[in-house]
Amino acid sequence: MTTLIKLGGSLITDKRKARTFRQDATRTIASQIKAVWKAEPGLRLIIGHGSGSFGHFAAMTHHTAAGVKSAEQWFGFTKVAEAAGALSHLVLLELLEQGLPAMRFQPSSFIKSADGKIVDMRTRLIAQALESNIIPLVHGDVALDSQIGGTIISTERILAYLAKSFPVKRMILLGEVDGVLDSDGRVIPSITPSSFDSVKSVMGGSSGFDVTGGMLQKVEEMVALVVAVPSLEVIIANGRRPNVLTDLMSQDQQTGTRITLRP
């Protein structure tokens, strides 16, 4: 079975300041990934990360998510791709520094979209990497689109596609909040498709610039995903919490919000 881990843009960058990399936070999570990797021989991991203050600032400037037509917009499209790739390179360096066999897979090179939705992803090379004990690293990125020219595909949508393509048991989304919060700021420990309508009114957008939607959209997508993949467990948790990843993987502590098909 494969585990998907997302490092949120708010965790590894300061989303309020353009191209601000949080190296210490990324290094801390990378060290936890190393601990998990060593503790579970044969564990298959795919890591994704948001674009944070790298890709989102560029995308806001060029309005890339809405479509690409003019020469000026296409130039902006390439600048967004460069920004997303620059952050991914920094994340990769931290993983390699921990001795993790990570390898970048740039989504814009193997994803096709139509009207902002993924319609094809060449996953065979990712499968081969997993079989070779490599940890694929993906990220939110631009994509060529058959209807609107070009757009942006979020990390969650990339990971959701992978969750439908591989035998995935768990997806862990790490950000800078403790989970999905209610109106009093308390963590909602569990969300299912049947309970979603009663809790979605308390969810707001993420802090900082985010052209791919805030918490509400992310949770909506994850609820739809567990319907499509009934065995999947999605966890939204605070990546700044000490040992959060090792705790979640070992299930020693119940933290964050769990999204599952049934309670």
Side-chain angles (χ1 to χ4, degrees):
M1 298 294 283
T2 302
T3 295
L4 308 179
I5 300 173
K6 185 212 172 181
L7 313 182
S10 61
L11 176 64
I12 62 174
T13 75
D14 183 343
K15 292 180 72 174
R16 299 170 183 84
K17 298 178 182 179
R19 298 179 82 110
T20 305
F21 180 51
R22 287 175 167 163
Q23 184 179 40
D24 290 345
T26 308
R27 184 166 296 173
T28 297
I29 289 296
S31 68
Q32 292 186 40
I33 294 173
K34 177 183 179 181
V36 168
W37 182 256
K38 291 181 66 176
E40 296 188 37
L43 175 66
R44 292 187 171 189
L45 289 178
I46 298 176
I47 299 173
H49 65 82
S51 287
S53 64
F54 283 67
H56 288 297
F57 268 84
M60 286 284 289
T61 299
H62 301 289
H63 308 288
T64 307
V68 181
K69 294 181 180 179
S70 68
E72 182 180 357
Q73 288 174 326
W74 279 116
F75 182 63
F77 180 88
T78 63
K79 293 183 73 174
V80 175
E82 181 279 326
L87 176 59
S88 192
H89 177 69
L90 294 174
V91 174
L92 177 66
L93 292 179
E94 295 302 322
L95 296 172
L96 293 174
E97 184 67 24
Q98 296 294 327
L100 292 163
M103 177 178 174
R104 283 187 60 209
F105 285 80
Q106 185 174 352
S108 57
S109 67
F110 61 86
I111 285 178
K112 294 181 180 179
S113 71
D115 198 24
K117 298 178 182 179
I118 299 173
V119 293
D120 183 53
M121 184 186 298
R122 298 188 179 98
T123 59
R124 285 183 292 178
L125 291 178
I126 291 179
Q128 185 175 349
L130 290 171
E131 291 169 3
S132 302
N133 208 38
I134 289 173
I135 301 173
L137 176 66
V138 299
H139 56 85
D141 202 1
V142 297
L144 295 171
D145 192 290
S146 62
Q147 294 188 31
I148 58 176
T151 189
I152 291 176
I153 301 295
S154 71
T155 316
E156 282 85 3
R157 290 187 179 180
I158 293 169
L159 294 180
Y161 193 100
L162 294 173
K164 297 173 184 177
S165 304
F166 295 98
V168 174
K169 177 182 179 182
R170 183 184 297 121
M171 182 190 298
I172 299 173
L173 309 179
L174 298 177
E176 61 176 353
V177 294
D178 291 332
V180 181
L181 307 180
D182 65 16
S183 57
D184 296 318
R186 296 173 298 193
V187 174
I188 301 169
S190 176
I191 297 175
T192 64
S194 60
S195 71
F196 180 55
D197 284 343
S198 65
V199 299
K200 68 179 181 180
S201 62
V202 305
M203 297 181 230
S206 59
S207 59
F209 292 115
D210 190 339
V211 297
T212 59
M215 180 65 82
L216 176 58
Q217 181 173 324
K218 289 175 174 58
V219 174
E220 284 180 327
E221 291 178 356
M222 294 303 105
V223 168
L225 181 60
V226 298
V227 172
V229 187
S231 61
L232 181 66
E233 176 186 42
V234 178
I235 305 170
I236 299 174
N238 190 343
R240 299 184 183 279
R241 185 180 179 276
N243 301 315
V244 61
L245 187 56
T246 48
D247 287 344
L248 288 172
M249 292 293 288
S250 66
Q251 297 187 329
D252 287 341
Q253 297 186 33
Q254 301 296 311
T255 185
T257 298
R258 280 170 165 75
I259 302 174
T260 53
L261 183 62
R262 298 180 181 83

